[in-house]
Amino acid sequence: MKTFGIILKRNTKLFFKDKGLFFTSLITPLILLVLYATFLSNVYRDSLQMSFPQGVTIPDNLLEGCVAGQLMSSLLAVSCVTVSFCSNMLMVQDKISGARKDFLITPVKRHTLAVGYYLSTTISTLIICVVALTATLIYVSAVGWYLSFTDVLLLLLDVFILVAFGTALSSVINFFLSSQGQISAVGSIVSSCYGFVCGAYMPLSTFSEGLRNTVMFLPGTYGTSLIRNHALSGVFAEMESHLPEQAITAIKDSIDCNIYFFGEKVEMGTAYLVVCVSVALLIGVYILLNLLSAKKDK
Amino acid sequence: MTEIIKIENLCKSFGDLKAVDDLSFSVKEGELFAFLGVNGAGKSTTISILCKTLKKDSGRIFIDGEDSDLNPNKVRKELGVVFQNSVLDGSLTVKDNLKHRASLYGIVGEEFEKRLKELASLLEFEKFLNRVVGKLSGGQRRKIDVARALLHKPKILILDEPTTGLDPQTRRTMWKVIDGLRKSNKMTVLLTTHYMEEAGDADYVLIIDGGKRVAEGTPIELKNKYTGDYITIYSVTKEQIERLGLPYQEVSGAYRLKVANTWVATNLIIENPELFKDYEITKGKMDDVFLTVTGKKLTEDSEK
C-alpha cells in the first residue's frame, strides 16, 4: 500500500512539476476563456435574447447568469476531458524517457503501475477541474448567482463523473502511444475537436441533423448536457416568473439542456447511465489491454 | 566459483533479423564480466531479455540457480541495472527519485532512509540529495543512476556503457565504488563498454557479433590468442631496425616492432643484445583483439 501511495505521489508531482504537461492541459480552458472574453459571450447573449418572445425582457443579472452558466458548463465539460488527456500523457512520457523500462526491471506488478497512472490522472485532473469550478462559481456569483447548494453538489458530481470518463478514455488511447510526435498529435486533436463534438463550443442545436445524431453516440455529449443542466437549473427556475414555459423549453433546446437521441428526449437519469456505462466499458478495455500486454511480454 | 548467470541457447529475432543467435555463456559469482560488440551485435537485446523487459524466442536463463521463466520476480530482485542513458525523472529531486524507485522493491519508510544514507555516503552525493535531477551535471547524475541500481542490494549489477561521456575523475570514483562492492559483497558485474581499458580490467570477456559468440576468455588469454606482443626500442637507428627484417612503426623517435608472442620477443633480444639497451615489451590491446575477431573497430562512433 505504501508503494502504491509513493507511485501516486510521484505521478501527481511529476504532472504539476512538468511545465510542458501542466500548461498544455490548461490551453483548452484558456482558449475558451479568450473566446468568451472576445466574442462568445456576445454570441450567447444575442442568441438568448433572440429566443425571447417579442416584447419580453428579463433582468440583466438573470441574462448574465445564464450566459455565465453556459461558459461554466462549456469550460468544465471540455477541461474534464482535455486535462485528463494531458495528465495521462505521463504514461507515454515514461515510455519515451525509459522510466517505464526502469519500472519493469523491478518486481512491482504491472497492474499496480496501470492503476497508479489511472488514479494519479484522476487526482491531478480533479484538482484542476475543481479549481476551475471554483473560479467559474466565483465569476457566476459576481454576474448573477441563481444556483442552489444542491446544484453545486450536482456540478461537483458531474465533474467527478466526467473526469472519470476523460481518464478512462485517455487511458485506452494513450496506451497505444509511444513517441513525442504521437503525444503532440493526440493532444492537438483532442484539444481542438473535443469541445466541438461534445457540444461545448457550439450547441448541438446549431448542427445539421445528421451530425447531431452522430455526436449523440458520443458519451461526452451527455456529460456536457448534465453539467449545463445543473449550471443553469437555478436560472431556468427564475426565468419561469418572466417567460412562458414554451419559451423556456425553446431556450433549453437551443443550448442543449434538452438533448434528443433521434428525436427522443434524453432524461437526466439516462444521461448519467450513458456516461457511467461508458466509463465502466472503457475501464474494462484498459484492464484487458494491460492483461494482454503483460501476457505478450511473458 | 558458482555460476550466477547461465544463458543457454538464447535466440531472439525481430522479423527476419536474428538479433541473438543461439547464444550461450555463463558468468561466475563476483566476476567483472565484459560483454563487447558493436551496435546491433545483440548486447542490448541480451541484456533486455536478461532483465525480463523483452521476451525471448527460445533458450533458457538461470540467475543464481533460478530459472528466470519460473521465478521472474526473484530474478528481478537480484538484478540492478545502470542504463546507457539516465532514466530518472528530471523534474524530481534526487531523494524523490530514489524514494520512488526503492518503493518498487518494497523498500519504504525507515528502511529506505537507512539505505539512502548508506548510498549517499558511499557515492558521495549527500550534498545534492534535495537537488532536482535535471539540474545535476552528467557525472552527478551518473552517481544517482548507480545509487538507484544499488538500492535493493542486488547480487548482479548490469552496467550498460556506464561511463560514456563521464570525466575521468567521475569514472574513477564510479569504478572505485563498484570495485569496493565487488570485494565486500561478492557482487557480480556485467559490463558493456566502449572503453577498452575498462574491458581490459575485466575478469572475463565475451565478444559477440551478429548475435553470436565470436570469442571469449580472460583479457590475457584473448590478447595471447588474437594479438601479438609489441617491442618498443629506444635509442636505435632506422637502419638497425630494418636489419631485423620485422614489420615496424616509428613512434615519437622510437620504433615499435610487432612479434608473434613473448617467446619470439625473448629470442630476438638474445640474438640482438646490442639493440636492446632501452626497450619495453607490451601485450596487444583489447582493441586489437576486437578488430581481429570481428574485423570491426569498437569505437564510440561505431556505437552511435
Side-chain angles (χ1 to χ4, degrees):
Chain A
M1 203 59 203
K2 269 190 178 174
T3 297
F4 186 68
I6 294 171
I7 291 174
L8 270 188
K9 199 173 163 189
R10 176 252 178 193
N11 293 354
T12 312
K13 221 171 181 179
L14 267 181
F15 172 68
F16 286 103
K17 285 207 164 189
D18 187 323
K19 291 177 185 70
L21 276 181
F22 181 64
F23 288 112
T24 310
S25 70
L26 295 179
I27 280 178
T28 314
L30 284 174
I31 289 174
L32 205 62
L33 280 174
V34 170
L35 286 178
Y36 181 78
T38 50
F39 72 94
L40 263 183
S41 59
N42 290 334
V43 173
Y44 288 163
R45 199 174 290 112
D46 293 345
S47 64
L48 261 177
Q49 281 171 329
M50 276 161 61
S51 60
F52 297 158
Q54 217 164 10
V56 174
T57 54
I58 61 169
D60 276 351
N61 61 347
L62 186 57
L63 183 68
E64 292 305 322
C66 187
V67 173
Q70 282 189 75
L71 165 78
M72 176 164 70
S73 58
S74 298
L75 197 129
L76 291 174
V78 175
S79 302
C80 290
V81 174
T82 56
V83 173
S84 64
F85 261 88
C86 288
S87 172
N88 221 348
M89 285 299 176
L90 183 67
M91 89 162 68
V92 192
Q93 285 199 332
D94 280 348
K95 285 185 204 169
I96 298 165
S97 70
R100 172 91 184 162
K101 194 169 60 174
D102 199 26
F103 302 161
L104 294 181
I105 63 165
T106 71
V108 73
K109 298 263 186 293
R110 274 168 178 266
H111 66 249
T112 309
L113 295 174
V115 176
Y117 286 124
Y118 191 93
L119 282 187
S120 60
T121 299
T122 308
I123 293 167
S124 307
T125 313
L126 268 178
I127 291 171
I128 292 183
C129 290
V130 169
V131 170
L133 173 64
T134 312
T136 47
L137 284 175
I138 292 169
Y139 175 70
V140 168
S141 70
V143 295
W145 179 273
Y146 293 93
L147 293 167
S148 66
F149 182 66
T150 315
D151 291 333
V152 176
L153 286 182
L154 284 169
L155 276 170
L156 262 175
L157 175 71
D158 296 340
V159 165
F160 185 79
I161 291 174
L162 220 57
V163 167
F165 170 71
T167 307
L169 182 66
S170 61
S171 297
V172 171
I173 291 174
N174 292 2
F175 187 88
F176 297 99
L177 312 183
S178 57
S179 71
Q180 198 63 48
Q182 290 169 338
I183 287 182
S184 305
V186 170
S188 307
I189 291 169
V190 172
S191 302
S192 54
C193 298
Y194 184 76
F196 285 104
V197 296
C198 76
Y201 296 159
M202 306 284 286
L204 301 185
S205 56
T206 58
F207 292 4
S208 68
E209 196 184 342
L211 186 58
R212 198 162 54 232
N213 286 333
T214 307
V215 297
M216 286 306 291
F217 283 98
L218 306 176
T221 313
Y222 298 83
T224 310
S225 179
L226 282 172
I227 295 184
R228 192 153 291 169
N229 269 295
H230 295 135
L232 294 169
S233 71
V235 169
F236 289 126
E238 182 64 24
M239 274 185 187
E240 281 171 15
S241 55
H242 301 276
L243 295 171
E245 199 185 326
Q246 281 167 321
I248 294 173
T249 307
I251 295 170
K252 281 185 174 178
D253 287 350
S254 70
I255 59 173
D256 298 340
C257 283
N258 290 336
I259 49 172
Y260 298 88
F261 185 77
F262 288 91
E264 283 292 313
K265 190 184 166 196
V266 179
E267 297 301 329
M268 299 269 266
T270 314
Y272 273 121
L273 193 69
V274 169
V275 182
C276 291
V277 168
S278 306
V279 172
L281 280 176
L282 287 166
I283 290 175
V285 173
Y286 182 53
I287 292 169
L288 197 68
L289 286 171
N290 277 286
L291 287 175
L292 288 174
S293 165
K295 203 176 165 189
K296 196 178 143 198
D297 289 348
K298 260 184 190 170
Chain B
M1 277 197 286
T2 54
E3 286 176 343
I4 197 155
I5 302 175
K6 193 175 179 191
I7 292 184
E8 292 177 350
N9 311 106
L10 188 68
C11 291
K12 176 72 188 175
S13 297
F14 298 103
D16 293 336
L17 178 77
K18 280 191 173 177
V20 181
D21 190 3
D22 200 24
L23 185 67
S24 299
F25 66 89
S26 57
V27 181
K28 293 190 179 74
E29 190 178 11
E31 202 169 55
L32 170 55
F33 186 97
F35 196 30
L36 304 182
V38 292
N39 198 21
K43 301 184 310 274
S44 295
T45 307
T46 307
I47 287 176
S48 297
I49 295 170
L50 196 65
C51 298
K52 307 289 295 169
T53 57
L54 187 67
K55 195 180 167 183
K56 62 185 175 356
D57 294 340
S58 61
R60 297 180 79 185
I61 296 174
F62 297 90
I63 304 287
D64 201 16
E66 293 283 343
D67 188 328
S68 72
D69 288 338
L70 300 178
N71 208 342
N73 274 351
K74 191 159 183 238
V75 165
R76 286 185 176 110
K77 282 179 190 164
E78 309 289 16
L79 301 175
V81 185
V82 177
F83 293 102
Q84 199 170 341
N85 300 311
S86 182
V87 290
L88 296 173
D89 301 315
S91 48
L92 297 185
T93 63
V94 169
K95 189 174 177 181
D96 280 347
N97 264 290
L98 295 178
K99 189 177 184 178
H100 173 256
R101 300 305 202 265
S103 76
L104 302 179
Y105 294 92
I107 304 166
V108 292
E110 273 183 31
E111 193 187 354
F112 165 71
E113 295 293 341
K114 195 177 159 223
R115 185 65 182 142
L116 179 69
K117 213 171 165 185
E118 284 169 8
L119 288 170
S121 157
L122 189 71
L123 285 154
E124 299 165 6
F125 62 85
E126 298 104 322
K127 282 180 190 165
F128 44 92
L129 260 179
N130 292 314
R131 272 173 64 188
V132 169
V133 165
K135 289 188 177 165
L136 299 178
S137 70
Q140 289 171 331
R141 203 178 301 184
R142 217 54 181 147
K143 281 185 182 178
I144 310 306
D145 291 332
V146 175
R148 180 263 168 268
L150 297 174
L151 275 169
H152 56 297
K153 299 181 182 170
K155 283 188 178 171
I156 301 162
L157 182 64
I158 297 173
L159 304 170
D160 192 4
E161 292 168 21
T163 53
T164 304
L166 291 189
D167 60 90
Q169 196 191 336
T170 311
R171 205 184 300 177
R172 271 196 299 276
T173 310
M174 215 193 88
W175 278 113
K176 200 177 117 191
V177 170
I178 291 168
D179 286 340
L181 285 166
R182 283 182 58 215
K183 280 175 194 145
S184 59
N185 301 352
K186 269 180 125 184
M187 193 175 72
T188 308
V189 177
L190 176 63
L191 164 79
T192 71
T193 182
H194 294 304
Y195 296 106
M196 283 297 136
E197 66 269 32
E198 287 181 349
D201 289 341
D203 297 314
Y204 203 81
V205 177
L206 171 72
I207 301 174
I208 64 166
D209 194 30
K212 287 183 176 178
R213 179 180 56 187
V214 288
E216 65 176 310
T218 63
I220 289 292
E221 283 169 356
L222 291 173
K223 285 174 186 175
N224 283 339
K225 192 170 177 184
Y226 296 105
T227 70
D229 283 13
Y230 291 92
I231 314 174
T232 309
I233 313 175
Y234 303 94
S235 311
V236 287
T237 62
K238 195 175 182 181
E239 290 73 32
Q240 284 176 304
I241 290 297
E242 279 175 346
R243 273 205 299 273
L244 292 173
L246 289 167
Y248 70 94
Q249 196 187 349
E250 208 171 333
V251 191
S252 316
Y255 295 91
R256 195 167 178 243
L257 307 174
K258 189 181 179 190
V259 290
N261 52 47
T262 314
W263 179 241
V264 174
T266 309
N267 279 337
L268 198 67
I269 295 165
I270 294 168
E271 284 163 16
N272 304 279
E274 72 283 1
L275 293 182
F276 292 88
K277 288 179 179 117
D278 187 6
Y279 67 95
E280 59 184 332
I281 302 176
T282 50
K283 290 274 175 202
K285 291 177 180 170
M286 285 304 292
D287 302 74
D288 305 316
V289 173
F290 194 83
L291 184 64
T292 308
V293 297
T294 65
K296 296 161 190 167
K297 278 191 173 180
L298 185 64
T299 61
E300 255 183 83
D301 289 341
S302 73
E303 287 286 299
K304 276 176 183 169

